[in-house]
Amino acid sequence: FATLRAVQTGEAVRHHSEIIRHRDGTTLPVLVNAVALDPHVLGWSAFDDEGGELEPLAIVVHSDVSALKDAERLKDEFIGIAAHELRSPLAVIKGFAQTLLLQTLRGKGAQLDDWQMEAVQDINKATTRLVELTEDLLDVTRLQGGRLELHAEPTDLVALVQRVVPRLQVTTESHSISIAASSEHIVAQIDPRRLEQVLGN
């Protein structure tokens, strides 16, 4: 605990998060700040009136952060609800964009002009990105709730990076992204989607 660390090691502890558990089962989230007091610095004697060494001292401040935790919980709930609600309309837009692309490639329906084809492809890409952002928002709520799951599978890291880099390269003209690998194939047991997130970040 922050208080023990301060009095035992002389360490100053700042903004340490703790939960006080009451006997009736209720809890109180607090932020703790603890600063050890050095008798020498304060000009005090290091010994008491009977010549014994003074007990270690510290100033400890507990700040009730219940309101802050409630606000965080409400924020997480809102993000979760908003992300779930976004999924349905995005799925419809993406579905129709892909249908238009496929039907045009198969020669069914009216032939799209080049600019129309390009516009539909851009809609499809943008919708894919929005779906990914929605999943990222849901990941935030999963992380907060300790429910984020990893799905590891044998994955070629070199191929994964080669797939991700061109997508990242188009986001910048002032940087040139290159890949250097010690081997043509490096296979590891990982969650490929999560690693793509890491590379993108």
Side-chain angles (χ1 to χ4, degrees):
F1 295 112
T3 305
L4 288 175
R5 278 163 57 196
V7 296
Q8 289 178 349
T9 67
E11 173 188 1
V13 179
R14 293 182 175 88
H15 306 299
H16 177 74
S17 181
E18 287 185 9
I19 295 177
I20 296 173
R21 302 183 189 285
H22 300 296
R23 289 184 179 182
D24 63 1
T26 59
T27 59
L28 178 67
V30 292
L31 276 183
V32 185
N33 291 280
V35 180
L37 298 178
D38 187 339
H40 301 293
V41 173
L42 297 170
W44 297 350
S45 168
F47 302 96
D48 60 24
D49 295 337
E50 297 173 2
E53 198 170 330
L54 283 177
E55 291 287 333
L57 302 171
I59 293 179
V60 182
V61 178
H62 288 77
S63 303
D64 180 358
V65 289
S66 299
L68 183 64
K69 292 291 182 186
D70 287 343
E72 281 182 2
R73 182 182 50 76
L74 289 171
K75 178 201 70 177
D76 292 342
E77 285 178 7
F78 171 76
I79 289 172
I81 291 168
H84 276 293
E85 291 298 319
L86 281 169
R87 273 177 157 180
S88 297
L90 284 174
V92 171
I93 296 169
K94 186 167 181 60
F96 278 122
Q98 288 178 335
T99 301
L100 274 170
L101 290 170
L102 281 172
Q103 297 291 38
T104 302
L105 290 172
R106 291 174 180 165
K108 295 183 178 179
Q111 189 66 28
L112 296 178
D113 292 334
D114 287 345
W115 70 269
Q116 291 173 317
M117 193 69 170
E118 191 177 324
V120 175
Q121 287 171 339
D122 287 344
I123 291 169
N124 188 45
K125 286 178 190 172
T127 310
T128 299
R129 182 67 187 128
L130 281 171
V131 169
E132 289 171 357
L133 288 171
T134 303
E135 284 300 314
D136 288 347
L137 284 173
L138 287 170
D139 283 345
V140 171
T141 58
R142 291 175 188 132
L143 276 169
Q144 297 277 353
R147 292 178 282 105
L148 185 68
E149 294 180 1
L150 297 177
H151 302 285
E153 58 188 63
T155 305
D156 186 341
L157 292 170
V158 178
L160 185 143
V161 173
Q162 287 172 339
R163 186 171 70 244
V164 172
V165 163
R167 194 172 73 220
L168 300 178
Q169 186 63 72
V170 297
T171 65
T172 176
E173 293 179 1
S174 56
H175 302 89
S176 178
I177 305 172
S178 62
I179 305 165
S182 60
S183 176
E184 192 177 338
H185 300 285
I186 302 172
V187 178
Q189 191 77 7
I190 59 162
D191 185 326
R193 182 171 166 269
R194 297 300 178 197
L195 196 62
E196 284 192 32
Q197 281 183 307
V198 171
L199 290 170
N201 290 333

